[in-house]
Amino acid sequence: MTRPPEPARHPDGLACVMYTSGSTGTPKGIAVTHRNVVALASDRCWTGGAHRRVLMHSPPAFDASTYELWVPLLNGGQVVVAPEGEADHQSLARVIRDSGVTGLFLAAGLFHLLAEESPGCFGNVREVWAGGDVVSPAAVGRVTGACPGTVVVNGYGPTETTTFATRHRAPATGGTFPIGRPMDNTRVYVLDGALRPVPPGVVGELHIAGAGVARGYPGRPGLTAERFVACPFGPAGERMYRTGDLVRWRADGALDFVGRTDDQTKLRGFRVEPGEVEAAAARHPEVARAAAVARAAAVARPAGAGDRRLVLYAVPAAGASLDAAALRAFVAASLPGYMVPAAVVILDTLPLNANGKVDRRALPEPEPSPRAEPRAARTPLERLLCDVFADVLELDRVGVDDSFFDLGGHSLTASRLVGRIRSSLRVELPIRALFETPTAAGLAETLSRRGDLGGRQDLSG
């Protein structure tokens, strides 16, 4: 019997293509090689047993899945696959607590949520990495206070450098976490516009070289040449990745993250290019111009993390009458949930700077939607749900017909809300029920129709 030919294998062969948000409106793929993956998995930081049983809960398209799958498997460990189904934070906390997980990665927003709601779930975890956005020292304090044996690590790295490029172990000194020092086989440079190193304390752009640097963007040689540039500090032919992140060296040799050279942002662990959101909005026939920015929420969360939301600004085409809710629904039809703007603002014109570009700093804060006098709750169940809505959203009151998402809710606060409802009523309520009926009145009708009130007959009147 003839055996099938063995596939050609080479360290620089393509392992996968990871797609991220693109500034031109088209997602860009990142070519990750087998050498890149092995460089990540062979780092000495994974030794010592903390990552023997790693939780895999990220979508395969999220670069954290590279860590979740290959770090344990290539080091003789085990992958604990999160159960299929709803991925709310309470279910995740149960998996972390009950499945013998010793190591895991969480996007910063999800880490902050678990730190606030279930800090004790990390009791058996030896090491939890958090990243993708600024990690709150207050959230770390809640976790390490509840679980003194758990180490928290701030992990930083763009997908173009294969998940992680630097790391910093808690506790942090000062008010924010540094992004730390480079991983093994990784070199980092803080450079000025002429690719010259800047001294400690001076802000420059972070450039990353080493075995984790990806091949580039398949089918996009111009963009590859722009971002993967020749490294003047290494051997001939070596390239380094221009991150677009502004950093500075600290006196202790760690890196502080300062900001971005462009408009790219991170929301709940996902990279978001405003240009892709703007391009989705521009496809609407009644939109003339659009701009998207990430803004800080008005109220910081108790864990100290704060929050940010994506706001879309749109100018109607001549003679058109543009509806904010309809535009949000239009954009939502073509973008993943984390890129759907939390608010849409209709303007007569977009503010411009002296160079004729959109002045994003001059864009107005979204005004709260005018709310009619809230309709009074008719049943004890509606009253309970209104109270839970208000508590989660940190509002004085919420009417039975007020939409959770119109009031500023998003995917993480939705998880918190559903968890509170489950705890109060002892029912299994899927998150999708909130997206289908995002009001207290709608959820009350759904629960009453199912006849599932967790034995709380006092709420059925």
Side-chain angles (χ1 to χ4, degrees), residues 21 25 33 57 131 233 239 249 291-292 303 331 371 373 400-402 410 415:
S21 181
T33 69
H57 68 99
F233 312 105
R239 296 174 306 150
W249 289 110
V331 170
R371 297 171 61 190
E373 185 65 25
V400 294
D401 299 315
D402 289 335
H410 53 64
S415 176

Side-chain angles (χ1 to χ4, degrees), residues 14-365:
L14 189 64
C16 63
V17 178
M18 290 278 182
Y19 281 84
T20 68
S21 181
S23 59
T24 63
T26 302
K28 57 178 181 286
I30 298 163
V32 178
T33 69
H34 295 285
R35 187 189 303 274
N36 299 150
V37 175
V38 171
L40 171 67
S42 60
D43 195 285
R44 288 170 295 174
C45 70
W46 312 124
T47 61
H51 299 268
R52 290 288 297 176
R53 285 177 59 83
V54 170
L55 178 65
M56 185 171 188
H57 68 99
S58 299
F62 189 28
D63 64 354
S65 64
T66 306
Y67 151 76
E68 294 173 345
L69 183 63
W70 295 115
V71 164
L73 292 184
L74 293 181
N75 288 287
Q78 297 174 317
V79 177
V80 179
V81 181
E84 185 178 4
E86 296 290 341
D88 64 278
H89 76 281
Q90 287 192 331
S91 300
L92 182 59
R94 282 196 299 272
V95 172
I96 295 171
R97 184 175 56 246
D98 301 337
S99 299
V101 171
T102 62
L104 74 155
F105 171 83
L106 295 170
L110 185 53
F111 175 75
H112 296 151
L113 177 58
L114 288 174
E116 179 183 338
E117 298 283 340
S118 307
C121 73
F122 300 101
N124 297 320
V125 176
R126 294 181 57 180
E127 209 166 273
V128 54
W129 285 46
D133 208 335
V134 177
V135 178
S136 160
V140 173
R142 289 177 64 87
V143 170
T144 55
C147 309
T150 301
V151 172
V152 179
V153 176
N154 184 14
Y156 161 87
T159 306
E160 286 87 347
T161 60
T162 318
T163 312
F164 297 120
T166 68
R167 67 186 187 277
H168 181 83
R169 174 175 172 168
T173 56
T176 58
F177 270 107
I179 59 174
R181 294 177 172 82
M183 306 276 285
D184 290 345
N185 301 312
T186 300
R187 306 190 313 279
V188 296
Y189 305 99
V190 184
L191 308 177
D192 63 15
L195 298 185
R196 297 172 300 195
V198 301
V202 176
V203 175
E205 184 178 357
L206 178 61
H207 294 65
I208 302 173
V213 176
R215 181 191 292 177
Y217 305 111
R220 303 183 72 173
L223 183 60
T224 298
E226 177 186 341
R227 305 304 298 185
F228 294 83
V229 299
C231 179
F233 312 105
E238 184 182 31
R239 296 174 306 150
M240 59 184 180
Y241 175 65
R242 293 181 52 204
T243 66
D245 288 334
L246 297 175
V247 299
R248 59 178 164 233
W249 289 110
R250 301 183 353 158
D252 62 3
L255 288 170
D256 267 334
F257 176 82
V258 177
R260 288 286 302 173
T261 61
D262 54 23
D263 299 319
Q264 184 192 106
T265 188
K266 285 285 190 77
L267 289 176
R268 296 179 285 282
F270 291 95
R271 183 190 302 187
V272 175
E273 294 274 9
E276 188 169 354
V277 182
E278 294 162 3
R283 288 192 286 269
H284 193 288
E286 296 182 347
V287 171
R289 297 195 68 188
V293 298
R295 288 193 175 276
V299 180
R301 294 293 170 195
D307 200 2
R308 287 188 296 169
R309 60 177 182 156
L310 191 64
V311 180
L312 174 65
Y313 298 85
V315 176
S321 178
L322 195 57
D323 178 75
L327 178 56
R328 184 179 184 277
F330 178 85
V331 170
S334 61
L335 294 177
Y338 66 88
M339 293 180 68
V340 176
V344 176
V345 179
I346 307 300
L347 300 175
D348 293 331
T349 185
L350 296 179
L352 304 178
N353 59 25
N355 296 322
K357 297 182 178 180
V358 175
D359 187 350
R360 297 176 187 273
R361 294 186 178 183
L363 289 166
E365 289 281 355

Side-chain angles (χ1 to χ4, degrees), residues 352-398:
L352 304 178
N353 59 25
N355 296 322
K357 297 182 178 180
V358 175
D359 187 350
R360 297 176 187 273
R361 294 186 178 183
L363 289 166
E365 289 281 355
E367 296 182 1
S369 301
R371 297 171 61 190
E373 185 65 25
R375 181 168 63 84
R378 297 164 296 183
T379 67
L381 177 57
E382 287 186 345
R383 282 194 293 273
L384 182 146
L385 292 173
C386 285
D387 289 343
V388 176
F389 272 51
D391 182 51
V392 169
L393 293 169
E394 299 181 357
L395 299 173
D396 292 334
R397 62 175 181 167
V398 171

Side-chain angles (χ1 to χ4, degrees), residues 411-433:
S411 58
L412 286 181
T413 48
S415 176
R416 182 186 289 115
L417 177 72
V418 170
R420 296 282 179 86
I421 294 173
R422 288 172 175 170
S423 298
S424 299
L425 298 179
R426 299 186 297 278
V427 299
E428 284 301 317
L429 180 70
I431 289 181
R432 65 176 178 273

